Amino acid sequence: MRTNFDPHAAPVPLHSYRHHGKFEGEVVTDLLDLAHKRIPGARVKHRAKENWLKMYDKAGIVLRIETVINNPEWFRVRKQVIRQGEPKTEWVEMRKGVANLFRYRDVSLSANSQYLDSLAW
């Protein structure tokens, strides 16, 4: 495992977002030097549409990973729905709201874990 985060090293592939054949967007990675802030460090931000995964290096001491979900429709949640008058359980688009907080947690933890795993090797 890397002990020091080097913001100028080659970018790490974004494994956290698995694109399907219908994905027409782009994944963008940017680097921000946080020297102008109180604590020197860097931020790496991977964007896929309106969702992103950010990694902060705080003065080489703390590494923090954060997932932001602004467009939850990109993800799925298992939910009971009515189809032709019959209740069925299906995977449907995730919506904004507190009813899906458990799924936000699951998606974010999975993305963070996969990202950290990709950094470890």
Side-chain angles (χ1 to χ4, degrees):
M1 178 138 185
R2 294 180 194 165
T3 55
N4 291 328
F5 167 67
D6 181 5
H8 303 292
V12 177
L14 184 59
H15 299 292
S16 301
Y17 294 105
R18 291 203 174 101
H19 306 297
H20 50 76
K22 295 181 182 178
F23 179 74
E24 295 179 1
E26 64 179 341
V27 175
V28 178
T29 300
D30 66 25
L31 172 68
L32 174 67
D33 185 12
L34 298 175
H36 65 283
K37 301 280 185 181
R38 290 185 305 145
I39 302 173
R43 180 198 75 200
V44 176
K45 182 176 180 181
H46 303 284
R47 291 176 291 174
K49 295 194 177 184
E50 295 87 26
N51 303 314
W52 52 79
L53 191 137
K54 299 185 279 189
M55 176 174 52
Y56 293 93
D57 171 42
K58 301 291 185 172
I61 299 170
V62 177
L63 183 66
R64 180 169 63 95
I65 308 295
E66 173 182 308
T67 299
V68 178
I69 300 174
N70 287 320
N71 184 4
E73 289 84 17
W74 210 34
F75 302 100
R76 301 276 185 191
V77 63
R78 198 144 166 86
K79 183 179 176 183
Q80 189 168 20
V81 295
I82 306 293
R83 299 282 188 240
Q84 298 175 349
E86 296 289 322
K88 293 184 179 184
T89 303
E90 296 181 357
W91 285 99
V92 297
E93 288 183 350
M94 190 165 69
R95 302 283 184 207
K96 289 188 177 185
V98 295
N100 293 325
L101 282 179
F102 74 96
R103 187 68 177 135
Y104 276 77
R105 181 201 61 217
D106 293 346
V107 168
S108 297
L109 283 173
S110 177
N112 292 351
S113 295
Q114 290 178 43
Y115 190 71
L116 286 171
D117 287 346
S118 71
L119 289 175
W121 59 276

PDB file of all heavy atoms in Angstrom, residues 69-83:
ATOM      1  N   ILE A  69     -23.314  11.731  -4.632  1.00  0.00           N
ATOM      2  CA  ILE A  69     -24.331  11.258  -5.569  1.00  0.00           C
ATOM      3  C   ILE A  69     -25.342  12.383  -5.775  1.00  0.00           C
ATOM      4  O   ILE A  69     -26.189  12.636  -4.932  1.00  0.00           O
ATOM      5  CB  ILE A  69     -25.036   9.994  -5.034  1.00  0.00           C
ATOM      6  CG1 ILE A  69     -24.012   8.882  -4.818  1.00  0.00           C
ATOM      7  CG2 ILE A  69     -26.135   9.554  -6.001  1.00  0.00           C
ATOM      8  CD1 ILE A  69     -24.582   7.643  -4.151  1.00  0.00           C
ATOM      9  N   ASN A  70     -25.223  13.093  -6.892  1.00  0.00           N
ATOM     10  CA  ASN A  70     -26.170  14.146  -7.244  1.00  0.00           C
ATOM     11  C   ASN A  70     -27.226  13.655  -8.217  1.00  0.00           C
ATOM     12  O   ASN A  70     -28.278  14.266  -8.346  1.00  0.00           O
ATOM     13  CB  ASN A  70     -25.443  15.344  -7.862  1.00  0.00           C
ATOM     14  CG  ASN A  70     -24.671  16.115  -6.829  1.00  0.00           C
ATOM     15  OD1 ASN A  70     -25.134  16.316  -5.722  1.00  0.00           O
ATOM     16  ND2 ASN A  70     -23.468  16.521  -7.182  1.00  0.00           N
ATOM     17  N   ASN A  71     -26.924  12.578  -8.924  1.00  0.00           N
ATOM     18  CA  ASN A  71     -27.859  12.014  -9.883  1.00  0.00           C
ATOM     19  C   ASN A  71     -28.080  10.540  -9.540  1.00  0.00           C
ATOM     20  O   ASN A  71     -27.465   9.656 -10.122  1.00  0.00           O
ATOM     21  CB  ASN A  71     -27.312  12.157 -11.306  1.00  0.00           C
ATOM     22  CG  ASN A  71     -28.293  11.671 -12.349  1.00  0.00           C
ATOM     23  OD1 ASN A  71     -29.415  11.300 -12.041  1.00  0.00           O
ATOM     24  ND2 ASN A  71     -27.857  11.662 -13.589  1.00  0.00           N
ATOM     25  N   PRO A  72     -28.976  10.248  -8.591  1.00  0.00           N
ATOM     26  CA  PRO A  72     -29.163   8.870  -8.143  1.00  0.00           C
ATOM     27  C   PRO A  72     -29.831   7.973  -9.180  1.00  0.00           C
ATOM     28  O   PRO A  72     -29.782   6.752  -9.058  1.00  0.00           O
ATOM     29  CB  PRO A  72     -30.036   9.010  -6.899  1.00  0.00           C
ATOM     30  CG  PRO A  72     -30.757  10.291  -7.086  1.00  0.00           C
ATOM     31  CD  PRO A  72     -29.819  11.180  -7.848  1.00  0.00           C
ATOM     32  N   GLU A  73     -30.450   8.561 -10.216  1.00  0.00           N
ATOM     33  CA  GLU A  73     -31.119   7.746 -11.236  1.00  0.00           C
ATOM     34  C   GLU A  73     -30.139   6.842 -11.966  1.00  0.00           C
ATOM     35  O   GLU A  73     -30.532   5.888 -12.626  1.00  0.00           O
ATOM     36  CB  GLU A  73     -31.872   8.625 -12.242  1.00  0.00           C
ATOM     37  CG  GLU A  73     -33.112   9.287 -11.676  1.00  0.00           C
ATOM     38  CD  GLU A  73     -32.812  10.577 -10.933  1.00  0.00           C
ATOM     39  OE1 GLU A  73     -31.712  11.157 -11.109  1.00  0.00           O
ATOM     40  OE2 GLU A  73     -33.682  11.017 -10.168  1.00  0.00           O
ATOM     41  N   TRP A  74     -28.855   7.128 -11.845  1.00  0.00           N
ATOM     42  CA  TRP A  74     -27.814   6.331 -12.479  1.00  0.00           C
ATOM     43  C   TRP A  74     -27.649   4.979 -11.789  1.00  0.00           C
ATOM     44  O   TRP A  74     -27.088   4.058 -12.341  1.00  0.00           O
ATOM     45  CB  TRP A  74     -26.515   7.116 -12.439  1.00  0.00           C
ATOM     46  CG  TRP A  74     -25.597   6.843 -13.557  1.00  0.00           C
ATOM     47  CD1 TRP A  74     -25.930   6.536 -14.847  1.00  0.00           C
ATOM     48  CD2 TRP A  74     -24.189   6.854 -13.504  1.00  0.00           C
ATOM     49  NE1 TRP A  74     -24.799   6.364 -15.594  1.00  0.00           N
ATOM     50  CE2 TRP A  74     -23.715   6.557 -14.789  1.00  0.00           C
ATOM     51  CE3 TRP A  74     -23.274   7.105 -12.497  1.00  0.00           C
ATOM     52  CZ2 TRP A  74     -22.368   6.490 -15.103  1.00  0.00           C
ATOM     53  CZ3 TRP A  74     -21.938   7.050 -12.801  1.00  0.00           C
ATOM     54  CH2 TRP A  74     -21.494   6.744 -14.087  1.00  0.00           C
ATOM     55  N   PHE A  75     -28.153   4.869 -10.544  1.00  0.00           N
ATOM     56  CA  PHE A  75     -28.031   3.654  -9.754  1.00  0.00           C
ATOM     57  C   PHE A  75     -29.400   2.996  -9.606  1.00  0.00           C
ATOM     58  O   PHE A  75     -30.422   3.603  -9.870  1.00  0.00           O
ATOM     59  CB  PHE A  75     -27.444   3.973  -8.373  1.00  0.00           C
ATOM     60  CG  PHE A  75     -26.104   4.641  -8.458  1.00  0.00           C
ATOM     61  CD1 PHE A  75     -25.989   6.011  -8.315  1.00  0.00           C
ATOM     62  CD2 PHE A  75     -24.963   3.901  -8.707  1.00  0.00           C
ATOM     63  CE1 PHE A  75     -24.759   6.633  -8.405  1.00  0.00           C
ATOM     64  CE2 PHE A  75     -23.726   4.509  -8.802  1.00  0.00           C
ATOM     65  CZ  PHE A  75     -23.622   5.876  -8.656  1.00  0.00           C
ATOM     66  N   ARG A  76     -29.406   1.763  -9.159  1.00  0.00           N
ATOM     67  CA  ARG A  76     -30.645   1.001  -9.024  1.00  0.00           C
ATOM     68  C   ARG A  76     -30.894   0.638  -7.569  1.00  0.00           C
ATOM     69  O   ARG A  76     -29.965   0.516  -6.779  1.00  0.00           O
ATOM     70  CB  ARG A  76     -30.567  -0.306  -9.832  1.00  0.00           C
ATOM     71  CG  ARG A  76     -30.324  -0.099 -11.297  1.00  0.00           C
ATOM     72  CD  ARG A  76     -31.594   0.154 -11.971  1.00  0.00           C
ATOM     73  NE  ARG A  76     -31.422   0.248 -13.421  1.00  0.00           N
ATOM     74  CZ  ARG A  76     -32.366   0.661 -14.192  1.00  0.00           C
ATOM     75  NH1 ARG A  76     -33.524   1.010 -13.695  1.00  0.00           N
ATOM     76  NH2 ARG A  76     -32.186   0.743 -15.483  1.00  0.00           N
ATOM     77  N   VAL A  77     -32.171   0.475  -7.229  1.00  0.00           N
ATOM     78  CA  VAL A  77     -32.581   0.028  -5.902  1.00  0.00           C
ATOM     79  C   VAL A  77     -33.680  -1.015  -6.086  1.00  0.00           C
ATOM     80  O   VAL A  77     -34.506  -0.917  -6.995  1.00  0.00           O
ATOM     81  CB  VAL A  77     -33.063   1.213  -5.027  1.00  0.00           C
ATOM     82  CG1 VAL A  77     -34.290   1.877  -5.589  1.00  0.00           C
ATOM     83  CG2 VAL A  77     -33.267   0.790  -3.593  1.00  0.00           C
ATOM     84  N   ARG A  78     -33.656  -2.039  -5.247  1.00  0.00           N
ATOM     85  CA  ARG A  78     -34.681  -3.087  -5.327  1.00  0.00           C
ATOM     86  C   ARG A  78     -35.907  -2.591  -4.576  1.00  0.00           C
ATOM     87  O   ARG A  78     -35.830  -2.217  -3.421  1.00  0.00           O
ATOM     88  CB  ARG A  78     -34.148  -4.374  -4.699  1.00  0.00           C
ATOM     89  CG  ARG A  78     -34.909  -5.572  -5.111  1.00  0.00           C
ATOM     90  CD  ARG A  78     -33.962  -6.759  -5.248  1.00  0.00           C
ATOM     91  NE  ARG A  78     -34.698  -7.999  -5.325  1.00  0.00           N
ATOM     92  CZ  ARG A  78     -35.187  -8.493  -6.439  1.00  0.00           C
ATOM     93  NH1 ARG A  78     -35.015  -7.844  -7.573  1.00  0.00           N
ATOM     94  NH2 ARG A  78     -35.835  -9.628  -6.448  1.00  0.00           N
ATOM     95  N   LYS A  79     -37.056  -2.587  -5.263  1.00  0.00           N
ATOM     96  CA  LYS A  79     -38.251  -1.968  -4.707  1.00  0.00           C
ATOM     97  C   LYS A  79     -39.491  -2.722  -5.167  1.00  0.00           C
ATOM     98  O   LYS A  79     -39.531  -3.271  -6.268  1.00  0.00           O
ATOM     99  CB  LYS A  79     -38.307  -0.512  -5.195  1.00  0.00           C
ATOM    100  CG  LYS A  79     -39.433   0.303  -4.660  1.00  0.00           C
ATOM    101  CD  LYS A  79     -39.323   1.721  -5.208  1.00  0.00           C
ATOM    102  CE  LYS A  79     -40.492   2.554  -4.774  1.00  0.00           C
ATOM    103  NZ  LYS A  79     -40.446   3.892  -5.346  1.00  0.00           N
ATOM    104  N   GLN A  80     -40.515  -2.716  -4.304  1.00  0.00           N
ATOM    105  CA  GLN A  80     -41.780  -3.334  -4.700  1.00  0.00           C
ATOM    106  C   GLN A  80     -42.585  -2.317  -5.511  1.00  0.00           C
ATOM    107  O   GLN A  80     -42.801  -1.184  -5.094  1.00  0.00           O
ATOM    108  CB  GLN A  80     -42.586  -3.772  -3.478  1.00  0.00           C
ATOM    109  CG  GLN A  80     -43.775  -4.606  -3.864  1.00  0.00           C
ATOM    110  CD  GLN A  80     -44.408  -5.296  -2.665  1.00  0.00           C
ATOM    111  OE1 GLN A  80     -44.203  -4.885  -1.540  1.00  0.00           O
ATOM    112  NE2 GLN A  80     -45.174  -6.327  -2.929  1.00  0.00           N
ATOM    113  N   VAL A  81     -42.993  -2.741  -6.712  1.00  0.00           N
ATOM    114  CA  VAL A  81     -43.750  -1.889  -7.621  1.00  0.00           C
ATOM    115  C   VAL A  81     -45.003  -2.630  -8.080  1.00  0.00           C
ATOM    116  O   VAL A  81     -45.106  -3.850  -7.929  1.00  0.00           O
ATOM    117  CB  VAL A  81     -42.904  -1.480  -8.853  1.00  0.00           C
ATOM    118  CG1 VAL A  81     -41.726  -0.621  -8.443  1.00  0.00           C
ATOM    119  CG2 VAL A  81     -42.426  -2.700  -9.617  1.00  0.00           C
ATOM    120  N   ILE A  82     -45.942  -1.900  -8.637  1.00  0.00           N
ATOM    121  CA  ILE A  82     -47.162  -2.497  -9.175  1.00  0.00           C
ATOM    122  C   ILE A  82     -47.048  -2.514 -10.693  1.00  0.00           C
ATOM    123  O   ILE A  82     -46.903  -1.473 -11.326  1.00  0.00           O
ATOM    124  CB  ILE A  82     -48.418  -1.694  -8.744  1.00  0.00           C
ATOM    125  CG1 ILE A  82     -48.469  -1.528  -7.221  1.00  0.00           C
ATOM    126  CG2 ILE A  82     -49.673  -2.327  -9.303  1.00  0.00           C
ATOM    127  CD1 ILE A  82     -48.688  -2.812  -6.466  1.00  0.00           C
ATOM    128  N   ARG A  83     -47.107  -3.694 -11.303  1.00  0.00           N
ATOM    129  CA  ARG A  83     -47.056  -3.856 -12.754  1.00  0.00           C
ATOM    130  C   ARG A  83     -48.302  -4.628 -13.186  1.00  0.00           C
ATOM    131  O   ARG A  83     -48.498  -5.763 -12.765  1.00  0.00           O
ATOM    132  CB  ARG A  83     -45.816  -4.645 -13.189  1.00  0.00           C
ATOM    133  CG  ARG A  83     -44.509  -3.977 -12.812  1.00  0.00           C
ATOM    134  CD  ARG A  83     -44.182  -2.834 -13.769  1.00  0.00           C
ATOM    135  NE  ARG A  83     -42.844  -2.340 -13.507  1.00  0.00           N
ATOM    136  CZ  ARG A  83     -42.564  -1.103 -13.151  1.00  0.00           C
ATOM    137  NH1 ARG A  83     -43.520  -0.221 -13.027  1.00  0.00           N
ATOM    138  NH2 ARG A  83     -41.330  -0.739 -12.929  1.00  0.00           N
TER     139      ARG A  83
END
